[in-house]
Amino acid sequence: MKKIVYLFVALTAIVTAISSCSDSETYADQKKRERSAINKYITDNNIKVLTEAEFKAQNCTTDTSKHEYVYLDNSGVYMQIIRKGCGKKLQNNETATVLCRYKEYNMLTDSLQSTNMIGYYISVVDKMNVTNTSGTFTATFQKGESLMYSLYGSTSVPSGWLAPFTYINLGRQDSEDNEIAHVRIIVPHTQGHSYATSGVYPCLYDITYQRGY
């Protein structure tokens, strides 16, 4: 397990180094490059970007057949809700264990950077403790039970991962009729993990959220 984790860390470090700026590149240059990568993805995938007003007008849903994503002004995150999920939303002043399956793509290198959905890591379900405080969500990964923690060395959950909690339900897939929440999010470096923040690169995530025991 440790050898495989170290291999992933090494690969992540290489990808981050490739994504990082040269000595002559300014932060403004890096942000421009990030913006270009996001815009290219939106164009290449025929994504229709909704305003928050348009999103709310259609009951906070995105039509996947029309490739709709909503742009969240406060965070700069783009979100596509594939399934809102069964169960109910995380309630005010509630803390819950949330289980996540995810794929993480570096949008600068157009590559899969990490995932717990294939290969050896399919046995690892990332666990985090999420708290809703008057509509503000905070979360930490559980040590030893999270690939994201193993790779990036922090219990801090990327802020972008928390953006969907305002809109999705947290339930368990305990029957064929109960489908758990599923989203795609484009996360700018300001809302990402420490590697993305320091490297100034955006990530695309495909994530499912399920209420833990």
Side-chain angles (χ1 to χ4, degrees):
M1 170 77 175
K2 288 185 178 180
K3 289 182 179 179
I4 297 175
V5 169
Y6 293 154
L7 176 60
F8 262 88
V9 171
L11 291 174
T12 301
I14 291 170
V15 170
T16 303
I18 292 172
S19 301
S20 64
C21 65
S22 66
D23 291 338
S24 61
E25 208 172 22
T26 67
Y27 181 53
D29 292 331
Q30 293 174 290
K31 290 196 295 181
K32 183 177 179 180
R33 181 183 59 184
E34 177 184 53
R35 184 71 258 167
S36 295
I38 292 173
N39 288 342
K40 184 178 186 301
Y41 182 83
I42 289 171
T43 299
D44 290 350
N45 290 276
N46 299 313
I47 290 173
K48 178 182 178 181
V49 178
L50 303 177
T51 65
E52 290 190 61
E54 291 170 328
F55 178 60
K56 291 175 182 176
Q58 56 190 48
N59 197 28
C60 295
T61 60
T62 52
D63 189 337
T64 56
S65 69
K66 296 179 180 178
H67 309 288
E68 290 181 347
Y69 279 65
V70 57
Y71 177 73
L72 302 174
D73 294 316
N74 287 339
S75 63
V77 169
Y78 294 82
M79 177 180 65
Q80 182 183 61
I81 299 177
I82 300 170
R83 295 190 305 262
K84 281 200 170 184
C86 56
K88 60 183 181 180
K89 293 180 181 179
L90 192 64
Q91 301 299 297
N92 186 34
N93 296 322
E94 180 186 6
T95 297
T97 299
V98 180
L99 313 178
C100 295
R101 292 282 186 187
Y102 78 95
K103 292 180 182 178
E104 175 189 61
Y105 297 88
N106 183 318
M107 296 180 72
L108 287 188
T109 59
D110 191 25
S111 59
L112 179 64
Q113 189 160 277
S114 71
T115 180
N116 63 3
M117 296 178 70
I118 59 175
Y120 180 89
Y121 287 102
I122 202 166
S123 63
V124 180
V125 180
D126 278 42
K127 293 183 180 180
M128 56 185 185
N129 298 321
V130 184
T131 300
N132 177 5
T133 305
S134 301
T136 297
F137 297 91
T138 54
T140 56
F141 288 116
Q142 294 184 15
K143 291 183 179 181
E145 298 188 80
S146 165
L147 178 59
M148 287 286 286
Y149 170 77
S150 297
L151 291 178
Y152 300 117
S154 174
T155 58
S156 297
V157 175
S159 298
W161 278 43
L162 305 179
F165 281 101
T166 300
Y167 310 101
I168 62 172
N169 299 319
L170 278 181
R172 291 194 57 81
Q173 194 166 11
D174 50 15
S175 72
E176 291 185 3
D177 296 329
N178 286 346
E179 293 187 312
I180 59 176
H182 184 188
V183 304
R184 293 190 185 102
I185 46 177
I186 298 171
V187 178
H189 76 283
T190 54
Q191 302 292 308
H193 52 65
S194 59
Y195 280 56
T197 299
S198 61
V200 191
Y201 65 86
C203 289
L204 170 69
Y205 291 96
D206 188 307
I207 311 177
T208 60
Y209 298 88
Q210 180 174 209
R211 186 179 290 271
Y213 291 107

